[in-house]
Amino acid sequence: MATRAADLLTLTPQGLYCPGGDFHVDPTRPVERALITHGHSDHARSGHGHVMATAETLAIMAVRYGSDFAGGAQEAVLGEVMRIGDVLVTFVPAGHVLGSAQIVIEQGKCRLVVSGDYKRGRDPTCLPYEPVRCDVFITEATFGLPVFRHPDARAETDKLIESARLFPERAHIVGAYALGKAQRVMALLREAGYDRPIYLHGAMERLTSFYKEQGVGLGDTPRVAPDERPKLAGEIVICPPSAIQEIWARKFPDPVTAFASGWMRVRARARQKGVELPLVISDHCDWDDLCRSILETGAGEVWVTHGQEDALVHWCLSRGIKARPLHLLGYGDEEGDADVVPGEAEGGDLPSPLRGGSTAEGRRGGGQDEDVSTLEPHLAPPPPGSASPSPPSPQGGGDQ
Amino acid sequence: MNRFAHLIDRIGYEPRRNAKIRLMADYFRHTPDPERGFALAALTGALSFRHAKPNLIRGLMAERSDPVLFGLSWDYVGDLSETVALMWRAPDDTAPLPAIGHNNPPEPLDASGEPVALEGPLPHVPSLSEVVEGLATAGKTELPRLLATWLDALDETGRWALLKLITSELRIGVSARLAKTAVASLGDLDPDEIEHVWHGLAPPYEELFAWVEGRGPRPEGENPAPFRPPMLAHPVEEEDLARLDAAEFMAEWKWDGIRLQAATGRDGHGRLVRRIYSRTGEDVSGAFPDLVEALDFEATLDGELLILRDGRVQSFNVLQQRLNRKVVTPKMLLEYPAHLRCYDILAEDGEDLRHLPFAERRKRLEAFVARLGEPRIDVSPLVPFSTWGELAVARADPASAGAGLDADAIEGCMLKRADSPYLPGRPKGPWWKWKRDPFLVDAVMMYAQRGHGKRSSFYSDYTFGVWRDGPEGEELVPVGKAYSGFTDQELLKLDRFVRNNTVNRFGPVREVTYGFDRGLVLEVAFEGLQRSTRHKSGVAMRFPRINRIRWDKPAREADRIEYLERILQKGETELHPMRKAG
């Protein structure tokens, strides 16, 4: 009998688990054997027994957590098919950040792809995403709403360069995630011909050096010395998102606060962070690319790990593709908070690896075997602005 | 349209008042007539389009998108115009994929997500003037197609600006006053000078710009019935009362209605101009034709809009039926007759009275209203007292202190210094409001929803419940929803609590953990209770807000539904609100 996808990959309190190979993918708590898609701290955590990942991802984990980040580590070569237990495993580029990979798991005639985080937009700092035909595609949905359409990232960095030219008396402080986004912004600035030094907050330094060692050309990127700040009028400074509103940023001359993120597409979010120059640059797929990628895999079934699951599941169902949300907690959160906060500023780890773990169990109750149709009621949102104190019923409503 | 769109987009991100003025002034300086005049009209809220309303936008969107995806997106973004601006796709974009039903899911384009360049001539991007003119002249039936054509031609920012314009809610932190200040700065004028001539002008304000730029004469025509900014009060606290001398103050009831200003005056032709303004200076005359007709005098009155039936003041719930109506039907005028209960008189027969002491104005007001003999207009009575203690007694029981059956429509007392002139704004000291204490209930948080607008990343709307006997023992039943009353710091903590204690998710709603031995108790303040068949608990709260977060209190000690039932049964006035069970 043919292998069923649900047997090939299941959910445990630690996350996605492959019984045939006895390993987890991007587990949110320490496990014996972990396959890691990429180096962001919500996917790559320390403390596992054995870790398999691309060489770059392993190196990033070592940079972040120290060389003893796991009991043992094994490099996965992109495109190379490996046998683990009863299953075949292949790592394929995901285009998210340097070293990011999708993980293809096969048994019998059933092929399943755990895409991790991925994007289709051009990025000079990493290998591009490669579509893989499969039966089940496991996708994120960080920007899984049709309001998210990322513009060309080059136009966004042009805005930054233009603003720096227009306001030579002001420093431009750009918030960007320390792994991937920061280096992509720098690379795009260089491509656009920006040849001034790009100043770095201390928290960006180690990973930026690592990118340079890997051959990504980022030019002169000095670290900002504290007493130098008042002198950086007209310069571009890159810092973790959390730093743009800290006292650290106020010491610059009349700073223009910019933030490079897909969230900047929504005005309220930019304003709420006090951002004056929103740069819509994302390392995730926008809505169009999520939909396109799902179609290109030819998958008959889609599992959505995290983000705006409801909309993407609905879109799949309306196209006749089976789909279900996994409601995995601990990844990104739907606000991308985990990416913002991972203690990168001080080089620390996520404070609690258990974050969301216990609630994940409570919510799963039977979700494993849930028929797709029973998910339908979850899709009905309460009408916006509804003043009714009655919440949507867990049973699926209809009684309101 | 694009220049205007980029102006308001930039202003929206600009927190600095002076920078906003500079941006506007720069735009006015470099944009020709009549384009800039229509921009000024948009910024001052002087544009209103009869047929172009939010419903129309929703209708257009429904034709082009999946209703579920639209609903989820709207809920996420929290703003209709922005949601549509972001989601809108020109029909050509969706061509590559077959539509499913009437649902045209947007289809992937090039890798950057930019719309694929269209073959043939580019669509014509409309100017602001064209848009304003089109909206004003297009009939109801042609409007949807016209709007769709514009939306197809504009980029995201342009679409957003167009939709904001149509829904008359720019909300970019620019008041009419600030826009006029920017105009004044073009010619080193005082903004007040713009106000003086403003009401005689109409978009696109070509003579105004000519005047401020020194190319033309001062525009003619003063506003015969101008709005005078109202005087507002601060809430009074116990410690304030301790230092205030009761003998220097007069008290009156604070009616639970809508504060209005009725202003009249004669124009150049001797015709009587009658206007009713809201507290913020919006002309709302159209909504109250019955009251406008009663304004047969030359004066400016400050008062409260109430609904009176057989001389009895109706509750705010009744008044609400008259509000926010586009069309006022004769039936409505009959069933909900508008009444003005006056607090103050600001001008009489062209004489400005605002500098007079309150006691003096009060006498003028009483005499004026008596002479008028108009049943729709009366004076809010004074509440006699000699000590704060006496006033506290009256405030706790207005029915026995002269208000009689109207007591239900009283939400406290106003304290006004007898010698206070009428000062615009909220000066500290002369006027105080002493509201009735709210009711309080300890409830348990059950669900949280993300807020809208600048709170769209925070779980800031909380559904809370109280205990009742259920079929399987004690259970929590939701009794209300609150989204205010906490500080920004507290919001951070509440948001964190929701995220760390989520047990279920339904779209934007999260269910949090609750039960006898777990959960968060919220002390909720509210103004009143009504029976409701719409809610499971059978009660609906008026203006509930979070009074305190009881991190310390076990959920099992939260209140029971019987406590709310008692409030309902005894009526609001009989049960002293602060004396709560347990």
Side-chain angles (χ1 to χ4, degrees):
Chain A
M1 190 184 139
T3 310
R4 286 189 346 155
D7 301 328
L8 193 47
L9 202 64
T10 63
L11 279 171
T12 72
Q14 288 80 20
L16 289 166
Y17 175 68
C18 174
D22 188 24
F23 60 80
H24 280 83
V25 180
D26 290 354
T28 52
R29 302 191 220 177
V31 298
E32 190 44 40
R33 292 209 281 180
L35 271 56
I36 306 289
T37 58
H38 67 282
H40 277 146
S41 51
D42 48 338
H43 291 258
R45 294 166 195 255
S46 60
H48 302 307
H50 299 272
V51 166
M52 177 187 275
T54 62
E56 294 84 355
T57 298
L58 292 175
I60 287 165
M61 290 177 80
V63 167
R64 295 189 134 175
Y65 305 126
S67 54
D68 58 347
F69 64 88
Q74 186 185 344
E75 181 191 332
V77 178
L78 288 170
E80 196 175 287
V81 183
M82 295 166 285
R83 173 165 291 280
I84 303 179
D86 298 333
V87 301
L88 299 176
V89 170
T90 318
F91 281 60
V92 177
H96 179 53
V97 295
L98 182 60
S100 68
Q102 312 173 70
I103 296 175
V104 184
I105 304 170
E106 288 171 275
Q107 188 173 34
K109 285 204 159 110
C110 184
R111 181 189 283 172
L112 186 147
V113 172
V114 184
S115 56
D117 291 339
Y118 63 104
K119 74 164 174 288
R120 311 296 298 268
R122 209 184 65 84
D123 184 343
T125 68
C126 65
L127 293 172
Y129 169 93
E130 288 175 19
V132 179
R133 302 286 297 182
C134 58
D135 303 295
V136 179
F137 186 58
I138 301 173
T139 181
E140 51 127 336
T142 306
F143 293 109
L145 281 174
V147 291
F148 290 109
R149 296 212 167 84
H150 308 326
D152 185 345
R154 283 167 293 197
E156 300 297 292
T157 42
D158 284 350
K159 269 203 294 199
L160 175 61
I161 294 171
E162 185 51 33
S163 180
R165 208 173 283 146
L166 209 65
F167 298 105
E169 78 284 7
R170 306 175 70 180
H172 284 64
I173 314 289
V174 184
Y177 305 142
L179 170 58
K181 186 68 61 61
Q183 293 78 24
R184 185 176 174 206
V185 169
M186 290 183 244
L188 288 166
L189 287 170
R190 294 307 182 209
E191 280 190 350
Y194 185 80
D195 53 9
R196 308 266 323 142
I198 299 171
Y199 292 85
L200 296 185
H201 182 282
M204 314 309 251
E205 231 184 352
R206 284 179 308 162
L207 284 164
T208 301
S209 307
F210 172 73
Y211 265 65
K212 287 183 179 173
E213 287 160 23
Q214 297 293 309
V216 180
L218 300 176
D220 186 18
T221 59
R223 177 186 181 145
V224 178
D227 56 351
E228 200 185 0
R229 284 175 291 182
K231 297 172 206 154
L232 294 181
E235 303 293 351
I236 293 174
V237 183
I238 300 192
C239 67
S242 58
I244 57 177
Q245 280 176 322
E246 282 171 10
I247 301 168
W248 174 83
R250 283 184 227 145
K251 299 281 161 92
F252 293 92
D254 195 13
V256 175
T257 46
F259 186 16
S261 164
W263 300 117
M264 294 298 102
R265 186 89 270 197
V266 176
R267 288 181 167 76
R269 301 193 65 114
R271 274 189 218 129
Q272 164 201 315
K273 287 191 186 299
V275 172
E276 293 158 285
L277 185 64
L279 304 173
V280 189
I281 302 178
S282 174
D283 283 336
H284 294 268
C285 280
D286 63 7
W287 172 258
D288 292 340
D289 283 344
L290 285 171
C291 296
R292 169 162 74 120
S293 302
I294 287 170
L295 293 178
E296 284 177 6
T297 62
E301 187 170 344
V302 170
W303 300 352
V304 186
T305 54
H306 64 286
Q308 306 289 333
E309 305 98 319
D310 295 347
L312 197 61
V313 166
H314 171 81
W315 181 87
C316 290
L317 295 176
S318 71
R319 301 214 140 235
I321 300 168
K322 278 172 77 178
R324 62 181 243 218
L326 299 183
H327 291 310
L328 286 186
L329 286 184
Y331 291 149
D333 206 30
E334 82 282 10
E335 317 291 355
D337 287 1
D339 249 5
V340 182
V341 195
E344 202 63 66
E346 305 310 322
D349 192 359
L350 261 185
S352 165
L354 291 176
R355 184 174 170 219
S358 55
T359 55
E361 274 172 301
R363 99 154 25 124
R364 204 166 294 121
Q368 272 296 2
D369 303 307
E370 225 167 4
D371 186 333
V372 168
S373 63
T374 65
L375 295 170
E376 285 279 14
H378 295 218
L379 298 173
S386 159
S388 162
S390 306
S393 153
Q395 277 72 46
D399 60 338
Q400 309 276 323
Chain B
M1 190 72 208
N2 279 332
R3 272 189 70 94
F4 174 69
H6 286 115
L7 170 73
I8 64 172
D9 191 38
R10 268 198 80 177
I11 291 178
Y13 289 116
E14 180 55 72
R16 283 162 280 209
R17 182 178 177 275
N18 285 335
K20 286 181 191 182
I21 294 174
R22 270 222 314 274
L23 284 167
M24 283 188 280
D26 186 62
Y27 170 86
F28 291 137
R29 209 168 278 130
H30 296 110
T31 308
D33 290 321
E35 193 80 357
R36 61 178 174 175
F38 288 117
L40 177 60
L43 291 166
T44 52
L47 295 176
S48 172
F49 309 109
R50 223 161 7 111
H51 303 311
K53 295 294 174 217
N55 258 337
L56 171 65
I57 301 173
R58 278 196 291 269
L60 277 176
M61 204 60 213
E63 281 173 22
R64 293 225 186 173
S65 72
D66 177 310
V68 174
L69 293 180
F70 178 52
L72 288 168
S73 297
W74 186 7
D75 197 83
Y76 183 85
V77 175
D79 177 297
L80 176 65
S81 303
E82 187 170 355
T83 309
V84 174
L86 288 167
M87 275 186 82
W88 189 266
R89 286 258 123 157
D92 315 56
D93 294 350
T94 59
L97 275 187
I100 296 175
H102 68 283
N103 159 22
N104 291 326
E107 204 13 51
L109 305 163
D110 66 24
S112 66
E114 286 295 303
V116 170
L118 301 175
E119 297 294 324
L122 286 170
H124 168 69
V125 178
S127 70
L128 179 59
S129 318
E130 275 174 74
V131 167
V132 171
E133 200 170 312
L135 288 173
T137 55
K140 202 168 179 174
T141 45
E142 39 181 333
L143 201 54
R145 219 189 48 222
L146 185 62
L147 196 53
T149 316
W150 289 334
L151 289 172
D152 286 345
L154 291 164
D155 64 6
E156 187 273 326
T157 308
R159 286 194 295 266
W160 171 76
L162 172 64
L163 296 171
K164 285 277 157 192
L165 200 61
I166 286 175
T167 51
S168 316
E169 44 169 42
L170 291 180
R171 292 209 188 129
I172 48 169
V174 171
S175 62
R177 178 77 181 182
L178 199 67
K180 290 171 197 167
T181 306
V183 173
S185 78
L186 297 179
D188 274 334
L189 290 173
D190 188 297
D192 280 342
E193 296 213 53
I194 310 285
E195 297 281 6
H196 280 279
V197 299
W198 183 256
H199 276 272
L201 301 171
Y205 307 110
E206 293 185 19
E207 49 177 334
L208 174 68
F209 282 109
W211 173 50
V212 296
E213 288 174 347
R215 294 181 288 105
R218 186 174 197 267
E220 300 269 320
E222 304 276 329
N223 177 11
F227 168 66
R228 294 180 161 92
M231 180 160 175
L232 304 170
H234 281 273
V236 75
E237 306 286 344
E238 297 274 343
E239 54 267 33
D240 295 318
L241 288 177
R243 26 174 213 86
L244 297 177
D245 181 357
E248 291 176 344
F249 282 83
M250 300 166 86
E252 60 194 21
W253 299 122
K254 186 176 187 326
W255 295 97
D256 194 5
I258 301 281
R259 183 99 177 262
L260 289 182
Q261 186 174 114
T264 61
R266 301 219 172 258
D267 67 11
H269 309 282
R271 278 186 303 242
L272 188 63
V273 175
R274 313 168 190 210
R275 291 206 170 101
I276 297 177
Y277 294 105
S278 73
R279 214 180 72 163
T280 51
E282 217 185 318
D283 188 339
V284 294
S285 313
F288 307 104
D290 44 350
L291 192 54
V292 168
E293 197 176 314
L295 306 181
D296 196 11
F297 52 77
E298 272 183 73
T300 301
L301 302 176
D302 176 0
E304 196 90 8
L305 176 80
L306 300 169
I307 301 294
L308 257 65
R309 288 177 184 158
D310 301 326
R312 236 200 103 175
V313 182
Q314 303 297 301
S315 75
F316 189 80
N317 294 313
V318 176
L319 171 57
Q320 262 179 324
Q321 308 301 316
R322 256 307 282 272
L323 304 177
N324 305 321
R325 299 276 174 177
K326 280 193 199 100
V327 187
V328 193
T329 61
K331 184 162 174 263
M332 192 162 284
L333 293 176
L334 203 66
E335 287 181 7
Y336 303 97
H339 184 96
L340 185 66
R341 184 150 287 182
C342 300
Y343 296 132
D344 218 320
I345 184 163
L346 313 188
E348 188 181 356
D349 292 328
E351 186 195 354
D352 193 333
L353 306 180
R354 290 178 292 178
H355 61 281
L356 296 177
F358 174 67
E360 192 81 14
R361 291 199 310 276
R362 180 78 206 184
K363 279 186 205 136
R364 296 277 295 254
L365 175 68
E366 284 166 8
F368 177 84
V369 172
R371 272 200 313 278
L372 202 58
E374 165 58 58
R376 281 183 190 277
I377 299 174
D378 65 5
V379 177
S380 179
L382 291 174
V383 183
F385 72 102
S386 52
T387 65
W388 296 129
E390 277 180 43
L391 188 59
V393 170
R395 164 178 163 270
D397 185 7
S400 310
L405 292 170
D406 290 344
D408 281 355
I410 285 170
E411 53 170 7
C413 290
M414 293 295 300
L415 317 180
K416 298 180 175 177
R417 277 187 71 104
D419 63 358
S420 57
Y422 195 93
L423 303 168
R426 207 185 292 271
K428 188 124 191 180
W431 285 13
W432 302 90
K433 56 183 170 192
W434 195 12
K435 283 181 92 157
R436 206 180 46 199
D437 292 333
F439 296 95
L440 297 175
V441 64
D442 283 335
V444 182
M445 187 196 288
M446 300 175 71
Y447 301 89
Q449 185 169 0
R450 270 196 308 263
H452 280 163
K454 79 177 179 192
R455 279 193 183 162
S456 62
S457 75
F458 290 102
Y459 286 89
S460 61
D461 300 7
Y462 312 105
T463 299
F464 47 84
V466 295
W467 293 105
R468 74 169 176 193
D469 291 325
E472 287 156 38
E474 297 278 284
E475 63 175 19
L476 284 165
V477 58
V479 290
K481 190 172 175 182
Y483 46 86
S484 63
F486 37 77
T487 63
D488 287 352
Q489 282 307 312
E490 286 171 330
L491 174 59
L492 285 177
K493 285 189 195 154
L494 287 165
D495 181 69
R496 188 49 55 195
F497 172 83
V498 171
R499 288 167 195 277
N500 290 340
N501 292 280
T502 299
V503 294
N504 249 318
R505 293 205 273 191
F506 316 98
V509 176
R510 288 189 175 201
E511 183 175 15
V512 296
T513 179
Y514 53 82
F516 260 129
D517 50 355
R518 59 197 192 282
L520 179 60
V521 176
L522 303 171
E523 182 182 277
V524 178
F526 57 100
E527 296 301 312
L529 277 185
Q530 274 187 301
R531 296 209 181 270
S532 162
T533 49
R534 276 177 47 226
H535 301 131
K536 233 189 266 178
S537 59
V539 298
M541 283 183 181
R542 175 136 179 250
F543 191 34
R545 66 269 184 194
I546 310 292
N547 201 50
R548 263 198 302 169
I549 307 166
R550 298 297 305 268
W551 300 104
D552 56 310
K553 189 160 187 168
R556 74 165 69 83
E557 291 176 22
D559 282 312
R560 298 183 51 86
I561 190 77
E562 289 79 10
Y563 167 62
L564 297 179
E565 285 289 342
R566 277 204 301 280
I567 295 179
L568 266 178
Q569 285 162 11
K570 289 195 180 181
E572 295 182 354
T573 48
E574 290 171 46
L575 184 76
H576 192 280
M578 296 307 273
R579 197 171 56 223
K580 51 179 239 172

